[in-house]
Amino acid sequence: MYLFCLQIIYWLHYYYNNKQVAGSSTAIKQPLRRTLQPLVVCAAVKSIHQLVLMIEVKNIIKGFGDKIVINDVTATMQTGKCNLIIGTSGSGKTVLMKCLVGLFEPDKGEIVYSGHSFTAMGEEERKELRQQIGMLFQGSALFDSMTVEQNVMFPLDMFTKWSFAEKLKRVNEVLDRVNLKDANKKFPAEISGGMKKRVGIARAIVLNPKYLFCDEPNSGLDPQTSLVIDKLIKEITTEYNITTVVNTHDMNSVMEIGDNILYMYQGQKEWEGTNQEIIFSKNDRLNSFIFASEFLQDAKDMRMLEMKGKIDNNRNMDDLIK
Amino acid sequence: MTFFTELGRYLLMIKGMFSKPENMKVYWKEFMHQCNDIGIGSLGIVVIISVFMGAVSAVQTAYQLVSPVIPKSTIAQIVRDTVILEFAPTLVCIVLAGVVGSKIASELGNMRVSEQIDALEIMGINTKAYLIMPKVAAALVVIPMLVVISGVLGIWGGRLAGVASGILSAAEYDKGLLSSFFAYNVFFALTKAYTFAFIISTIPAYYGYYVKGGALEIGRSSTKSVVVSCVLILFADYILAALLL
Ligand SMILES: Nc1ncnc2c1ncn2[C@@H]1O[C@H](COP(=O)(O)OP(=O)(O)O)[C@@H](O)[C@H]1O
Ligand SMILES: [Mg+2]
């Protein structure tokens, strides 16, 4: 709410400043300005509304043949947060994500990007919007015939008119960002899975996207690399204040980065909440997903105790366990 | 899938190819890359086939023309015309359908299966235009050139074989080459070359672009694309001959 008000003030300030500069010759008369003011405020509120609510998913249904894979999912993907879609394999995470970016056309429902209906957009408008979207695919989807450097440079080649030196600078910047050095001249076939994912992320963020989609960014990776990638995604999200959507079935990442979690069960949204709430959820299906391992069940108990400890005014955990 | 839905999808793909390039420079680079791949990549096989087909047709024509009434130079004439009319465009394009076609189909198929096409799509690139258009344009530029080279080499191969096996002298061969030559035949050969080039590039592109599944399907669709292109080439060959000759 605070942000909201700040934005309105900023917007109005900006508007009047502009008017004074641009409209000095055709200055709007004072009374007219007064009548316009409420309208301007309305417009400002609307535009801020569009800025804040980034991706809205409304009653999406998608089936293949007569098998329904996504069944009436409604959700909001928030800006500046990692929005997680979790669930077991085959629960429809990838299909949902591909519906969001338009690689699959949903049978019913609407997808809205910052107040603009993606579903109703034509081919050209979508192409324009997509220049603000970065996506990391489950299999990385790097271009085989290009080196790491060329892969990351490709969006720059296509959509900027920069010189080669400028492009190279940016490429090295993002490769540095994902902790990948000395691999510029290697081909995708010559690097490991974790490196591929990182190159995939670098390619996805090279044009400073407003929306970032990651399909299982840490599947098939060792826990350490996996953590590095999670942290990276989280950092990028908060640093550039973008809307990030991540598919995962990895509980570590859920606890690490889950600001807004959507639990999918057989194509339906079963639960929604944050990583603070998830371990206390009363949903049986969600619980059997989260605590699939004994270890995590123990962790839950520990966490409960820890929380209780905090509530009971900094009592020592050791005492509690005793 | 029925024949008509496939045909419709093929035509839509062709239509989708003609959209405004996002960045001309990248498209141009890709076009040059494809010219190099298709042209230089298959030059070797084209040279070998052409020389041998010329040589073989010279020797076999001589074998069939046993009458002493017909002058030896007629052999050169026949070799010239069969090479220009049929061998250079059709035979070379059938071989190219195998070489270039399977390459295009498996390249696109691999990009589809490994989600590289989706990745391009997400960047806001028209994948039909970016991936298929440069290949078709390159084929249309390079394959007629290869056919011309093949024609020249075929005729030269016939001369080589004729002289080497003592069928006729080089002078007789050259005399035959120059008598009753119709420039129209060359035009006809080039018409064929352009038609076949279009088939060789678009049919495999279609099968590759729309592949579903995994590595097995890539192989299958690449084989299928070669078979379909070959049949279509022969069919178009007949239609063109019936229409233009
Ligand atoms: N292109 C497709 N055609 C038909 N069925 C599909 C297709 N893609 C996914 N499915 C089905 O949709 C379901 C969900 O798949 P997916 O979203 O990939 O699961 P995950 O949650 O593991 O990413 C699966 O049962 C799968 O068989
Ligand atoms: Mg998946």
Side-chain angles (χ1 to χ4, degrees), chain A residues 98 127 130 144 157-158, chain B residues 22-23 110 115-116 122:
Chain A
K98 287 192 173 175
K127 268 171 76 172
R130 279 182 176 156
D144 300 326
D157 284 339
M158 206 49 139
Chain B
E22 289 82 12
N23 183 329
N110 177 44
E115 296 182 313
Q116 290 172 48
I122 286 299

Side-chain angles (χ1 to χ4, degrees), chain B residues 110-231:
Chain B
N110 177 44
M111 291 189 81
R112 166 66 74 195
V113 168
S114 61
E115 296 182 313
Q116 290 172 48
I117 294 187
D118 288 343
L120 283 169
E121 200 75 45
I122 286 299
M123 289 175 195
I125 292 165
N126 181 338
T127 50
K128 290 186 190 111
Y130 176 65
L131 291 174
I132 303 177
M133 186 62 182
K135 290 187 173 62
V136 176
L140 285 175
V141 168
V142 171
I143 290 180
M145 278 186 204
L146 286 175
V147 168
V148 170
I149 293 173
S150 156
V152 172
L153 285 175
I155 292 168
W156 180 72
R159 188 172 188 261
L160 216 63
V163 174
S165 54
I167 296 165
L168 75 175
S169 71
E172 275 174 314
Y173 193 90
D174 293 345
K175 182 165 156 266
L177 279 188
L178 293 174
S179 63
S180 61
F181 171 73
F182 299 111
Y184 181 77
N185 287 355
V186 177
F187 163 77
F188 180 63
L190 283 177
T191 311
K192 277 185 170 186
Y194 280 109
T195 314
F196 298 163
F198 189 74
I199 293 174
I200 290 173
S201 51
T202 53
I203 297 288
Y206 170 77
Y207 280 103
Y209 188 84
Y210 288 109
V211 79
K212 274 205 180 83
L216 202 63
E217 278 80 8
I218 298 174
R220 207 174 285 153
S221 74
S222 133
T223 311
K224 197 169 173 198
S225 75
V226 172
V227 172
V228 173
S229 329
C230 285
V231 171

Side-chain angles (χ1 to χ4, degrees), chain A residues 242-257:
Chain A
I242 60 180
T243 308
T244 304
V245 182
V246 181
N247 272 357
T248 186
H249 50 223
D250 184 57
M251 273 317 289
N252 287 328
S253 9
V254 172
M255 297 316 292
E256 190 71 34
I257 63 175

Side-chain angles (χ1 to χ4, degrees), chain B residues 37-104:
Chain B
D37 261 18
I38 298 175
I40 310 295
S42 40
L43 193 60
I45 183 88
V46 167
V47 168
I48 293 169
I49 296 171
S50 310
V51 173
F52 277 93
M53 83 189 171
V56 171
S57 58
V59 174
Q60 287 189 352
T61 315
Y63 171 72
Q64 284 170 313
L65 282 183
V66 278
S67 164
V69 203
I70 305 170
K72 291 261 180 64
S73 61
T74 313
I75 296 171
Q77 229 171 306
I78 293 176
V79 169
R80 181 196 69 205
D81 287 345
T82 45
V83 165
I84 292 179
L85 283 178
E86 188 63 17
F87 283 167
T90 313
L91 194 66
V92 164
C93 285
I94 294 262
V95 171
L96 287 181
V99 180
V100 176
S102 64
K103 189 181 156 303
I104 291 180

